Amino acid sequence: MKNKKENYSMETKLIHGEFKTLKWDYSHHVVPPISSSATFRLDSSQRGAKGFIDFAHVEDKTIPPIYIYDRLGEPNKDILEENLAFAEHGEIAVTFSTGMGAISAILGILLKSGDSMICHRTVYGCTFSLLNRWYPRYNIACEFSDLTKAEILLEKIVETTKVIYFETPVNPNLEIIDIEKVCKIVADFNAKRSPENKIYVVIDNTFATPIGQRPLNFGADFVIHSLTKNIGGFGTDMGGVVIGKKEFHEPLLMYRKDFGAPLHTKSAWTILVHGLPTLASRLQQQQFTAKIVAEFLENHSKVEQVFYPGLASFPYFKLAKKQMVDHDGNFVPGTMIYFTLKEKDATKRQELGIKFINEVAQNSYAITLAVSLGNIRTLIEHPSSMTHSSIPPEKQIADGIDPGGIRLSIGLEKSSDLLSDLASAFEKI
Ligand SMILES: *Cc1c(COP(=O)(O)O)cnc(C)c1O
């Protein structure tokens, strides 16, 4: 008798995935080939007509799909989507060309003019810019609140509220939001609302990865990822995904069809073949190193505070231990570190942060000054002047983004090399 896939671990399943699939006749390939065809032969107008009727409607995995045109769907994206949905314990996944494409799509299908949303006060810079710069033009208001205090929702949710949106851990300062608590409060509001008027919880799970945290299990409605980061892992491709319930498959596919921004086929292939299968082992090794680096920083005389979910001194340590766990229940504090430098004056602290970053950029070999994260290379950046510069300085401080704060994304290098690069940069400031 054939061994059942269900009996294997998530790590193993992410390597083998759905490579034997009806999505394409790949039955003799160990690795699926890159499908590189913008359009597909239809054999007859009847088959073409059926393809259009079936599009976004057929959920039965035993029926081979009729492919029409890349923007509607093609084998590499479809197989990747099956594996991503599976990794997050979601029913369906729809990929996009970038993480921002995925965020625009999920908000695009959930919100309309006159609706409003509530977002944690600190989010990825471009997400903030999307909600702050563009949505008001479509008459969609966003209230930025401190969701680390979930009870705040009791007073902030109003009749027009349709979406609660946040990241956890939060970019860049790694604050942790209690997913279960937020979802419970929202469920109480929903119990008094009609189904059409429901409030949805959307969580950006890019930092934690599906190995380290599964928000859908805590009651969230949707998870989004920037596939450009941890899941892609090698920094070669951009991508995004929305994962959630079956009933949203159609609107998400329709949105992608009409607004565009499908994931590039060759990027889908890279993420499917290299990224996702290596995610668990990359994460394990990078996290091992992150703990060593975080402890080194914590003991350094020029460091004021280190934020790393795996340190006992981390302000949200208990909550992190509860919700950031792998498929076997082990704590997964992750690979991101945020730290501040010792200097009382905020302006001087910013100058010191920039000086430190420039030292690393010019002299270090193992640490690279670059935005992005979740890469096999260790990346460093200064959020205040870079990724979060779209947020005004006064608001940055109020939102917990320190003017001198430094963000590190730990890669696969040997920890001793990272420590020596950091130590020599500290000596210069
Ligand atoms: C990078 C990032 C995004 C945006 O993803 P892109 O692929 O760059 O569009 C969204 N959220 C978080 C937390 C990110 O780090």
Side-chain angles (χ1 to χ4, degrees):
M1 209 175 75
K2 208 167 154 58
N3 297 334
K4 280 208 176 72
K5 178 182 152 206
E6 291 70 40
N7 297 335
Y8 292 84
S9 67
M10 181 58 80
E11 289 81 351
T12 298
K13 282 187 280 202
L14 291 186
I15 294 166
H16 296 280
E18 299 285 354
F19 285 179
K20 273 190 119 180
T21 172
L22 281 174
K23 298 291 180 214
W24 199 247
D25 182 14
Y26 288 159
S27 47
H28 295 93
H29 290 80
V30 172
V31 174
I34 298 182
S35 161
S36 190
S37 188
T39 190
F40 293 80
R41 180 176 292 116
L42 289 164
D43 297 337
S44 68
S45 73
Q46 286 82 356
R47 181 176 157 86
K50 185 165 180 349
F52 278 99
I53 291 166
D54 285 358
F55 170 66
H57 291 110
V58 176
E59 298 292 346
D60 185 347
K61 285 186 184 170
T62 63
I63 301 173
I66 297 173
Y67 289 117
I68 300 169
Y69 189 61
D70 185 329
R71 181 156 33 74
L72 279 59
E74 52 70 44
N76 290 151
K77 282 194 267 294
D78 280 15
I79 302 174
L80 174 65
E81 286 167 3
E82 279 181 343
N83 291 357
L84 287 168
F86 179 68
E88 277 288 0
H89 296 179
E91 289 174 355
I92 58 97
V94 178
T95 53
F96 294 87
S97 59
T98 64
M100 288 315 301
I103 295 169
S104 311
I106 187 57
L107 297 178
I109 67 159
L110 297 178
L111 295 164
K112 60 181 186 324
S113 172
D115 290 343
S116 67
M117 62 182 282
I118 299 170
C119 178
H120 181 56
R121 58 181 185 174
T122 315
V123 267
Y124 181 68
C126 300
T127 307
F128 177 78
S129 177
L130 174 72
L131 306 180
N132 194 48
R133 183 193 300 262
W134 298 103
Y135 277 21
R137 291 167 49 135
Y138 310 129
N139 190 29
I140 297 167
C142 182
E143 163 122 31
F144 292 92
S145 298
D146 180 3
L147 298 184
T148 61
K149 300 174 182 73
E151 320 75 63
I152 203 168
L153 288 170
L154 295 172
E155 49 188 279
K156 296 287 180 186
I157 290 176
V158 291
E159 193 45 40
T160 55
T161 307
K162 294 292 167 58
V163 170
I164 313 294
Y165 184 98
F166 59 92
E167 301 156 1
T168 180
V170 172
N171 183 13
N173 59 12
L174 307 180
E175 287 173 321
I176 308 283
I177 294 166
D178 192 329
I179 302 171
E180 199 172 15
K181 206 163 167 186
V182 168
C183 292
K184 274 201 181 120
I185 293 174
V186 171
D188 287 345
F189 276 90
N190 282 337
K192 289 173 236 141
R193 288 187 175 205
S194 64
E196 313 76 67
N197 206 23
K198 204 183 143 177
I199 306 166
Y200 292 99
V201 178
V202 181
I203 296 178
D204 181 338
N205 203 27
T206 300
F207 270 37
T209 86
I211 294 291
Q213 178 173 275
R214 283 148 317 277
L216 300 179
N217 290 357
F218 290 112
D221 297 288
F222 299 96
V223 163
I224 74 98
H225 281 280
S226 166
L227 300 173
T228 317
K229 314 294 170 57
N230 288 292
I231 295 178
F234 295 88
T236 56
D237 294 85
M238 300 203 81
V241 66
V242 179
I243 301 159
K245 289 195 184 67
K246 237 186 209 162
E247 67 213 78
F248 293 92
H249 204 197
E250 179 187 347
L252 283 166
L253 287 171
M254 287 289 184
Y255 189 97
R256 185 176 73 183
K257 171 176 85 66
D258 298 338
F259 283 78
L263 179 61
H264 195 291
T265 308
K266 293 172 187 75
S267 299
W269 183 86
T270 304
I271 297 165
L272 173 70
V273 173
H274 300 302
L276 202 52
T278 58
L279 173 64
S281 13
R282 279 186 283 113
L283 183 63
Q284 193 175 27
Q285 183 60 35
Q286 291 172 216
Q287 174 173 281
F288 174 77
T289 309
K291 179 92 190 287
I292 296 171
V293 174
E295 282 167 354
F296 164 82
L297 290 169
E298 193 167 45
N299 292 319
H300 201 284
S301 60
K302 289 182 178 167
V303 173
E304 178 69 33
Q305 201 173 355
V306 183
F307 298 86
Y308 177 65
L311 292 176
S313 62
F314 183 63
Y316 305 91
F317 185 60
K318 234 179 97 189
L319 176 57
K321 271 182 116 169
K322 183 192 100 176
Q323 73 184 21
M324 298 174 75
V325 293
D326 68 13
H327 293 262
D328 298 319
N330 303 307
F331 182 29
V332 183
T335 60
M336 300 300 295
I337 301 171
Y338 183 70
F339 66 98
T340 56
L341 298 169
K342 237 180 215 146
E343 164 58 56
K344 290 233 157 26
D345 180 75
T347 313
K348 282 199 194 134
R349 206 154 68 240
Q350 173 150 39
E351 287 164 11
L352 203 61
I354 290 171
K355 193 164 176 223
F356 181 81
I357 287 273
N358 284 340
E359 273 303 327
V360 173
Q362 279 146 32
N363 301 318
S364 111
Y365 171 74
I367 306 176
T368 307
L369 169 58
V371 297
S372 197
L373 55 103
N375 195 296
I376 55 159
R377 295 161 199 264
T378 295
L379 305 179
I380 197 166
E381 69 117 358
H382 181 238
S384 172
S385 69
M386 297 170 60
T387 47
H388 292 67
S389 55
S390 69
I391 303 164
E394 330 72 69
K395 190 171 164 3
Q396 283 189 11
I397 296 179
D399 290 357
I401 300 172
D402 191 88
I406 290 165
R407 190 186 78 180
L408 263 172
S409 167
I410 302 300
L412 280 178
E413 301 88 352
K414 203 165 171 165
S415 60
S416 53
D417 292 329
L418 298 178
L419 297 192
S420 74
D421 274 354
L422 288 169
S424 56
F426 276 124
E427 272 169 32
K428 309 270 181 44
I429 64 161

